[in-house]
Amino acid sequence: MDPSAVWRDKQHRWRIEAYRAPDLRFAVFATNGTTESAPLWLFGMAALARWLMTHAISLDDLETD
């Protein structure tokens, strides 16, 4: 399953992938150079909004990958 969109924060600490399968899901990866964490799965826009808010990441801080 390929992501339909991919974003990174400006500091390249996080990578977010969006999937449509059959609901909207997001996989969040912590990145550190060449290594990545296991994905944290978020289900729906509300879950992504809460995660972004708790990590103090605004939509302006995201760039497409």
Side-chain angles (χ1 to χ4, degrees):
M1 178 167 50
D2 293 331
S4 55
V6 179
W7 301 277
R8 287 190 183 273
D9 67 321
K10 290 183 180 178
Q11 290 80 28
H12 292 263
R13 292 182 299 177
W14 303 100
R15 183 168 54 93
I16 302 168
E17 298 179 350
Y19 294 91
R20 294 181 185 167
D23 54 353
L24 187 57
R25 299 175 186 186
F26 298 94
V28 179
F29 298 88
T31 60
N32 183 11
T34 58
T35 61
E36 288 187 347
S37 69
L40 167 68
W41 287 99
L42 304 173
F43 297 94
M45 290 293 291
L48 178 64
R50 280 191 303 271
W51 185 88
L52 289 171
M53 190 172 64
T54 59
H55 286 81
I57 299 173
S58 72
L59 293 178
D60 294 332
D61 293 336
L62 297 178
E63 51 192 35
T64 58
D65 193 31

